[in-house]
Amino acid sequence: MITLLRRMRKSLIESGSARRYLLYAIGEIGLVVIGILIALQINNWNQERQEKQELDTYLENIKNNLRSDLVSLAEIKSFRDSSMLNSKKYLLLAKKEDITPEEFTRAYKSRYGVFIDRYFRPRTSGFEALKSSGYIRKLNGSLLEEQLNEYYYILELINDVETSLAYNTETMENFTFDKNVRQRMIQIAEAIDSGETLSLSTREEIHKLINHPNMTGAHLRNSVGASLPEYYRQAEELAKSIIVEIDDTIDKY
């Protein structure tokens, strides 16, 4: 192509026709401009394709995080439901006049005890990486952006409520140790396990220990769930919706 143009230019120069040479020069400039525009378009297309691939990678990482979150949410929901139910049973037990050693042992040794620490720990690395990259701007005004913001806002609420619940529960637990309540409960539980027959005074003491204000207070607070079940449910629904929206977003662009 270049060789052909050179021959044409040489031929026009030798012919001495200024008008024809001018038209040729304009045409050659036009071809150069078109070539530049095509090159720019190709470069833009390559850049957009690269950015699309990078955005897709960030979204895939978020989706993987959400899948892990759904597993953790199912586990913490199950635990929290069982823990709330256990606390309700504990409060009913505390109202009884006579608490048997077996009832005391079940209440004290429950695997869903009020002082057992279990919290939701979400995976946020994908979303944090997306924000740091600046690619989140490509989601501006989209449903996906709205859902992501709502989901991670719910996670903040969950963290706030769990932190508050943990603080109050830990404070009450510390009081039970300060008042020698937990230590005495451990001693009685060990005596029951060893087959020791409890005296009448010890059985009366069991009633007092079960009804200690910090014990019943912790179970009362735990029994209502402090809005956590609803927040877990909202987070679960949003996570599922976001996964679907991410797939649609990746396929769309």
Side-chain angles (χ1 to χ4, degrees), residues 48-49 51-53 55-56 59 138-144 245-253:
E48 289 176 1
R49 183 169 59 86
E51 290 181 355
K52 167 68 168 56
Q53 291 174 344
L55 176 60
D56 288 353
L59 294 180
K138 291 184 172 293
L139 303 178
N140 285 348
S142 67
L143 175 60
L144 180 55
E245 191 63 26
I246 284 176
D247 287 336
D248 289 344
T249 301
I250 291 175
D251 293 339
K252 186 183 302 181
Y253 300 105

Side-chain angles (χ1 to χ4, degrees), residues 11 108 116 120 127 136 152 162 184 188-189 212-213 231 240:
S11 176
Y108 179 74
I116 295 177
F120 176 52
F127 186 58
I136 195 169
Y152 289 101
E162 286 187 336
R184 185 61 184 140
I188 294 175
H212 189 276
Y231 288 148
K240 292 177 180 177

Side-chain angles (χ1 to χ4, degrees), residues 104-105 108-109 173 176-177 180-194 205-206 209:
F104 170 79
T105 300
Y108 179 74
K109 290 187 174 183
E173 183 180 23
T176 64
F177 278 109
N180 202 42
V181 174
R182 294 295 299 283
Q183 295 94 319
R184 185 61 184 140
M185 292 177 82
I186 293 173
Q187 293 171 353
I188 294 175
E190 290 176 346
I192 293 173
D193 288 342
S194 67
E205 184 182 6
I206 284 177
L209 292 170

Side-chain angles (χ1 to χ4, degrees), residues 3 25 30 39 47 54 59-60 66 81 115 126 141 166 177 205 212 214 220 224 227 233-234 236 248-249:
T3 302
Q47 184 175 350
E54 293 180 5
L59 294 180
E60 286 289 350
L66 292 174
D81 288 344
F115 298 126
F177 278 109
E205 184 182 6
H212 189 276
N214 293 118
L220 181 61
V224 297
S227 304
R233 184 192 65 79
Q234 291 179 22
E236 193 173 44
D248 289 344
T249 301

Side-chain angles (χ1 to χ4, degrees), residues 20-149:
R20 292 176 63 186
Y21 181 77
L22 179 61
L23 290 174
Y24 164 80
I26 293 173
E28 187 172 338
I29 292 172
L31 288 175
V32 172
V33 171
I34 291 172
I36 292 174
L37 292 175
I38 292 174
L40 289 174
Q41 184 62 34
I42 292 174
N43 182 67
N44 289 339
W45 181 80
N46 286 333
Q47 184 175 350
E48 289 176 1
R49 183 169 59 86
Q50 182 179 352
E51 290 181 355
K52 167 68 168 56
Q53 291 174 344
E54 293 180 5
L55 176 60
D56 288 353
T57 299
Y58 286 117
L59 294 180
E60 286 289 350
N61 289 337
I62 291 175
K63 189 167 69 172
N64 291 334
N65 284 170
L66 292 174
R67 285 172 175 163
S68 297
D69 284 355
L70 284 171
V71 174
S72 297
L73 279 167
E75 292 174 352
I76 193 62
K77 278 177 58 184
S78 177
F79 173 82
R80 195 69 65 188
D81 288 344
S82 298
S83 181
M84 289 168 60
L85 179 61
N86 179 70
S87 287
K88 291 175 181 178
K89 289 180 178 179
Y90 183 97
L91 294 172
L92 289 175
L93 177 65
K95 293 179 179 179
K96 294 184 63 175
E97 290 296 329
D98 183 36
I99 300 173
T100 66
E102 292 74 21
E103 289 173 326
F104 170 79
T105 300
R106 282 197 300 270
Y108 179 74
K109 290 187 174 183
S110 172
R111 57 188 293 193
Y112 302 109
V114 68
F115 298 126
I116 295 177
D117 295 330
R118 287 286 297 277
Y119 309 105
F120 176 52
R121 293 293 178 263
R123 281 73 167 176
T124 61
S125 59
F127 186 58
E128 293 301 325
L130 175 64
K131 290 192 296 183
S132 298
S133 71
Y135 281 102
I136 195 169
R137 71 183 185 281
K138 291 184 172 293
L139 303 178
N140 285 348
S142 67
L143 175 60
L144 180 55
E145 180 194 33
E146 179 183 341
Q147 289 179 330
L148 285 170
N149 288 333

